[in-house]
Amino acid sequence: MASSCIFCKIIKGQIPSMKIFESDKTLAFLDIGPLSKGHSLIIPKYHGAKLHDIPDDQLAEVLSVTKKIAIAQGIQDYNVLQNNGRIAHQEVDHVHFHLIPKPNESEGLGIIWQTQDADKGALSKLLEDIKSKM
Ligand code: AMP
Ligand code: ZN
């Protein structure tokens, strides 16, 4: 827990939230600035700013809770988003997964997907480099 963290304060009940689900490791609640109706946040209770800061066992439930909320909302089109770092649009430094319903073109998550030309040789070299460090 981090005393200045807004999501740790929500976990401790020091500030209110619209809770959807709670277990010993996981909390889910409605986003107060939704991109679409039903936009939810699913968080590990363990405090860490980025995905790689969170122990595996603290992350274990997050995807299944996300799936449960999607099913409960009856949504068919949606994005699951998890931002790491300011430049990657992270505002709250406690790991959180967004579940964002995509009911139509204009609501929900907007994505700019700018692909780059990929050189096959460079990709193979990169692949070997990553695999060697796994
Ligand atoms: P991100 O840009 O990935 O860090 O997203 C942070 C999200 O947290 C935003 O969508 C905010 O609307 C949401 N948020 C911030 N404070 C609260 C709060 N007190 N209760 C619910 N959602 C919040
Ligand atoms: Zn926190």
Side-chain angles (χ1 to χ4, degrees), residues 6-7 10 15-18 29-35 39 41 81-83 88-94 96 98:
I6 188 165
F7 286 176
I10 286 178
I15 60 171
S17 69
M18 297 201 182
F29 49 97
L30 291 177
D31 193 307
I32 42 160
L35 293 179
H39 182 165
L41 297 174
L81 176 71
Q82 197 268 313
N83 300 325
H89 210 285
Q90 183 177 17
E91 285 172 13
V92 176
D93 290 333
H94 181 127
H96 51 282
H98 296 259

Side-chain angles (χ1 to χ4, degrees):
M1 293 280 174
S3 56
S4 62
C5 170
I6 188 165
F7 286 176
C8 283
K9 286 182 181 164
I10 286 178
I11 292 165
K12 285 186 269 183
Q14 291 172 347
I15 60 171
S17 69
M18 297 201 182
K19 281 184 199 172
I20 302 167
F21 173 90
E22 182 163 21
S23 71
D24 56 336
K25 286 183 182 164
T26 314
L27 183 68
F29 49 97
L30 291 177
D31 193 307
I32 42 160
L35 293 179
S36 57
K37 185 178 155 198
H39 182 165
S40 312
L41 297 174
I42 302 91
I43 68 173
K45 287 189 171 177
Y46 184 99
H47 176 86
K50 295 184 179 177
L51 186 64
H52 58 264
D53 297 324
I54 311 295
D56 289 349
D57 68 303
Q58 302 295 317
L59 285 170
E61 263 183 5
V62 166
L63 270 185
S64 60
V65 171
T66 305
K67 178 178 148 185
K68 266 195 220 311
I69 297 170
I71 292 169
Q73 293 197 31
I75 50 178
Q76 293 298 323
D77 301 293
Y78 53 93
N79 295 95
V80 177
L81 176 71
Q82 197 268 313
N83 300 325
N84 296 277
R86 291 287 172 275
I87 198 171
H89 210 285
Q90 183 177 17
E91 285 172 13
V92 176
D93 290 333
H94 181 127
V95 163
H96 51 282
F97 289 72
H98 296 259
L99 171 62
I100 311 168
K102 186 73 183 166
N104 53 53
E105 279 287 331
S106 57
E107 293 174 84
L109 184 66
I111 301 178
I112 299 170
W113 195 276
Q114 281 173 319
T115 58
Q116 301 180 344
D117 288 335
D119 171 78
K120 254 212 154 158
L123 276 185
S124 298
K125 198 166 167 293
L126 177 65
L127 172 67
E128 290 314 316
D129 183 47
I130 297 170
K131 283 198 317 193
S132 71
K133 292 170 184 160
M134 293 287 284

